[in-house]
Amino acid sequence: MYQHTVHYYETDMMGITHHANYIRWMEEARIDFLGKAGFPYAQLEASGIISPVLAINCQYKQTSTFSEVITIEVKVLAVKGAKLSLSYQMTNQVGEEVCLAQSEHGFVTREGQPVLLKKTLPDFYQLLVNLQEEADD
Amino acid sequence: MYQHTVHYYETDMMGITHHANYIRWMEEARIDFLGKAGFPYAQLEASGIISPVLAINCQYKQTSTFSEVITIEVKVLAVKGAKLSLSYQMTNQVGEEVCLAQSEHGFVTREGQPVLLKKTLPDFYQLLVNLQEEADD
Amino acid sequence: MYQHTVHYYETDMMGITHHANYIRWMEEARIDFLGKAGFPYAQLEASGIISPVLAINCQYKQTSTFSEVITIEVKVLAVKGAKLSLSYQMTNQVGEEVCLAQSEHGFVTREGQPVLLKKTLPDFYQLLVNLQEEADD
Amino acid sequence: MYQHTVHYYETDMMGITHHANYIRWMEEARIDFLGKAGFPYAQLEASGIISPVLAINCQYKQTSTFSEVITIEVKVLAVKGAKLSLSYQMTNQVGEEVCLAQSEHGFVTREGQPVLLKKTLPDFYQLLVNLQEEADD
């Protein structure tokens, strides 16, 4: 589980975390999640594959602010073809849901050709399938 | 229509605009849209009402990068009770869709009480209803 | 002269523009300044030269906040060898100084070799020298 | 000593950490430094005192990029009247200096009156003096 402590510079004049920062925390948590699972993001890019974000979806449940510690749980929702979908559950220190989110990712070569994960990155594909099955339990 | 020129600092090492920035551009376009319609955001906050973002939804259609000019068209999708929903269509200089997005906003007092727009801010409510009818045409 | 309207997301919980944003505005103003002078930054990078920032210096004179329009005047302080120094004067709408800043820039090839501007980019070098002379008047 | 792992979203199209982020890391390290010394920043603001940044100075020695771990050592340079000066030494994982920086901070009431630290916040003042003496050794 990934943890992010809200920085002062992430707040806005409403006195709360500016909502755009949660999108960044999703990236932090995603990279941590894939790295811990054995597939560092740097390795993906080194293999000539880039992974643009195709869609983002955030439901803000509760505000957060400076110095709060947010725990982010990432799960694999789906993986097929050249696409990966993840979910994120963010909770604060007293266990309240702060934000629920989903993201969708493509996998393409530097020239923009879609990459079939199963074929081009079979180890990564199998890892994601296993993580999805764990999430389904 | 609001225009945003992509800043160098908004790109990432993939060579494209980092996806979290589109959320910020939505805010820029939204504030511009409400201001031009006659209801500056500062006026809203001055009247003791804050407007937290409840949900964000982005579909990234095409990448953009440094120095591109992105045009953002905002429309009112719905307004009722203490909630407002907006849509955003972002296009690049050659007219391609870059990002389609929606946002949902609440209206609450500084103490967190929901504000019925129709009752508390009748002028603002009527403005939003008119803008929604225009959007529906 | 470049103008930047302070965005809501650039404020922090102190109710003012977060100080790190001025560094970003310096970049916006610098790129605008060089572009208007006839040397777009994209052209520099296209020619295989990158320009890392070597030093930044900011004196914050007055706070600014959401929706204020900040005018930024850029001047060439010095250009020699593979280095360029610029100054920035930022003023608010009532003419008060908000921030005074300086930046220093290197010019290197993608392999990290310093680029002598006079030799490799004579047109750009001459432009900068002319701009510096204007600034000295 | 504070550590910051460079996030993907902190890089730019040059493939390196965008230089404005170092200013944010200084804030992270400063808040961590004061907190560990026994004076959490939130406590300062709760006591009705705000601390605007008066000046920032960064010398970039070496680039950094995604996933590098940057160690930041903060020291008290000076404390007198209503002003505090800090220094920052940032090094990468192989011990190279990445950035050297200084910052200057004021202390004012919410109404903008300067706060004499020695008089108004004697414990905080003494803490800073002690930290400065340590730094001088």
Side-chain angles (χ1 to χ4, degrees):
Chain A
M1 299 252 242
Y2 183 75
Q3 290 196 315
H4 178 99
T5 302
V6 183
H7 299 304
Y8 196 89
Y9 61 75
E10 291 178 322
T11 61
D12 64 23
M13 63 189 287
M14 224 187 279
I16 60 174
T17 304
H18 188 273
H19 63 283
N21 291 300
Y22 295 84
I23 313 296
R24 295 176 152 207
W25 304 349
M26 287 164 70
E27 183 180 273
E28 292 179 29
R30 178 167 66 243
I31 286 169
D32 178 74
F33 175 75
L34 294 178
K36 281 181 182 155
F39 219 90
Y41 193 76
Q43 185 181 328
L44 198 68
E45 293 214 333
S47 72
I49 290 165
I50 57 175
S51 178
V53 176
L54 303 178
I56 286 287
N57 187 349
C58 276
Q59 297 94 45
Y60 302 97
K61 299 296 183 185
Q62 185 113 358
T63 61
S64 68
T65 193
F66 172 53
S67 83
E68 281 190 57
V69 179
I70 307 300
T71 300
I72 309 176
E73 186 176 16
V74 182
K75 285 184 179 164
V76 176
L77 284 178
V79 49
K80 61 174 170 177
K83 276 190 195 175
L84 168 66
S85 300
L86 300 172
S87 73
Y88 308 78
Q89 188 191 32
M90 307 190 200
T91 48
N92 62 18
Q93 281 164 289
V94 293
E96 294 167 324
E97 269 184 0
V98 165
C99 181
L100 291 181
Q102 296 84 39
S103 63
E104 201 178 292
H105 306 269
F107 294 90
V108 291
T109 61
R110 294 222 163 260
E111 292 71 41
Q113 289 298 322
V115 166
L116 291 175
L117 292 175
K118 197 176 187 171
K119 203 176 148 192
T120 312
L121 292 169
D123 292 354
F124 185 49
Y125 175 78
Q126 195 53 50
L127 169 76
L128 294 172
V129 168
N130 294 348
L131 287 168
Q132 185 198 350
E133 281 165 5
E134 270 177 46
D136 286 349
D137 287 347
Chain B
M1 300 252 243
Y2 183 75
Q3 289 196 317
H4 177 98
T5 302
V6 183
H7 299 305
Y8 196 89
Y9 61 75
E10 292 179 321
T11 61
D12 64 23
M13 63 189 286
M14 224 186 283
I16 60 175
T17 305
H18 188 273
H19 64 282
N21 290 300
Y22 294 84
I23 313 295
R24 295 177 151 203
W25 303 351
M26 288 163 70
E27 183 180 273
E28 293 179 28
R30 178 167 67 244
I31 286 169
D32 178 74
F33 174 75
L34 293 177
K36 281 181 180 156
F39 218 91
Y41 193 77
Q43 185 181 328
L44 196 69
E45 293 214 333
S47 73
I49 289 164
I50 57 174
S51 179
V53 177
L54 303 178
I56 287 285
N57 187 349
C58 275
Q59 297 92 44
Y60 302 97
K61 299 295 183 184
Q62 184 114 1
T63 61
S64 68
T65 193
F66 172 52
S67 84
E68 281 190 56
V69 179
I70 307 300
T71 300
I72 308 176
E73 187 176 15
V74 182
K75 285 185 178 163
V76 176
L77 283 179
V79 51
K80 61 174 171 177
K83 277 192 195 174
L84 168 66
S85 300
L86 300 172
S87 74
Y88 308 78
Q89 188 191 33
M90 307 192 199
T91 47
N92 62 18
Q93 280 163 290
V94 293
E96 294 166 326
E97 269 183 0
V98 165
C99 182
L100 291 180
Q102 296 84 41
S103 65
E104 201 178 292
H105 306 269
F107 295 90
V108 291
T109 61
R110 293 222 164 260
E111 292 72 40
Q113 289 297 322
V115 168
L116 290 174
L117 292 176
K118 196 176 188 170
K119 204 176 149 192
T120 311
L121 291 169
D123 293 354
F124 185 50
Y125 175 78
Q126 195 53 50
L127 168 75
L128 293 173
V129 168
N130 293 349
L131 286 168
Q132 185 199 349
E133 281 165 4
E134 270 177 45
D136 286 348
D137 286 347
Chain C
M1 299 254 242
Y2 183 76
Q3 289 196 317
H4 178 98
T5 302
V6 183
H7 299 305
Y8 196 89
Y9 61 75
E10 292 179 321
T11 61
D12 64 22
M13 63 189 287
M14 225 186 282
I16 60 174
T17 304
H18 189 273
H19 63 282
N21 290 300
Y22 295 83
I23 312 295
R24 296 177 152 204
W25 304 350
M26 288 164 70
E27 183 180 274
E28 293 179 27
R30 177 167 67 244
I31 286 169
D32 178 74
F33 175 75
L34 294 178
K36 281 180 181 158
F39 219 92
Y41 193 78
Q43 184 181 328
L44 198 68
E45 294 215 332
S47 73
I49 290 165
I50 58 175
S51 179
V53 177
L54 302 178
I56 287 285
N57 187 349
C58 274
Q59 298 92 43
Y60 302 97
K61 299 295 182 185
Q62 185 115 1
T63 61
S64 68
T65 193
F66 171 53
S67 83
E68 281 190 57
V69 179
I70 307 301
T71 300
I72 307 176
E73 187 177 15
V74 183
K75 285 184 179 164
V76 175
L77 283 179
V79 52
K80 61 173 172 178
K83 276 192 195 174
L84 168 67
S85 299
L86 301 172
S87 74
Y88 308 78
Q89 189 192 31
M90 308 191 199
T91 47
N92 62 19
Q93 280 163 291
V94 295
E96 294 166 326
E97 267 183 2
V98 165
C99 182
L100 291 180
Q102 296 84 39
S103 64
E104 201 179 290
H105 306 269
F107 295 89
V108 291
T109 60
R110 294 222 163 261
E111 292 73 38
Q113 289 297 322
V115 167
L116 290 174
L117 292 175
K118 197 176 188 171
K119 203 177 149 192
T120 312
L121 291 170
D123 293 355
F124 184 50
Y125 175 78
Q126 195 52 52
L127 168 76
L128 294 172
V129 168
N130 294 348
L131 287 168
Q132 185 199 350
E133 280 164 6
E134 270 177 45
D136 285 348
D137 287 346
Chain D
M1 300 253 241
Y2 184 75
Q3 290 197 315
H4 177 99
T5 302
V6 183
H7 299 305
Y8 196 90
Y9 61 75
E10 292 179 320
T11 62
D12 64 22
M13 64 189 288
M14 223 186 281
I16 60 174
T17 304
H18 189 272
H19 62 283
N21 290 301
Y22 295 83
I23 313 296
R24 296 176 152 205
W25 303 350
M26 287 164 70
E27 183 180 273
E28 293 179 28
R30 178 167 66 245
I31 286 170
D32 178 74
F33 175 75
L34 294 177
K36 281 180 181 159
F39 219 91
Y41 193 78
Q43 185 181 328
L44 198 68
E45 294 214 332
S47 72
I49 290 165
I50 57 175
S51 179
V53 177
L54 303 179
I56 286 286
N57 187 349
C58 276
Q59 297 93 44
Y60 302 97
K61 299 296 182 185
Q62 185 115 359
T63 61
S64 69
T65 192
F66 171 53
S67 83
E68 280 190 56
V69 179
I70 308 300
T71 300
I72 309 176
E73 187 177 15
V74 182
K75 285 185 179 163
V76 176
L77 284 179
V79 51
K80 61 174 170 178
K83 275 190 196 175
L84 169 65
S85 300
L86 300 172
S87 73
Y88 307 79
Q89 188 191 31
M90 308 191 199
T91 48
N92 61 19
Q93 279 163 290
V94 293
E96 294 167 324
E97 269 184 0
V98 165
C99 182
L100 291 180
Q102 296 83 39
S103 65
E104 201 179 291
H105 306 269
F107 295 89
V108 292
T109 62
R110 294 224 162 261
E111 292 71 40
Q113 289 298 320
V115 167
L116 290 174
L117 292 176
K118 196 176 187 172
K119 204 177 148 191
T120 311
L121 291 169
D123 293 353
F124 185 50
Y125 175 78
Q126 196 52 51
L127 169 74
L128 294 172
V129 168
N130 294 349
L131 288 168
Q132 185 199 350
E133 281 164 5
E134 269 177 48
D136 286 348
D137 286 344

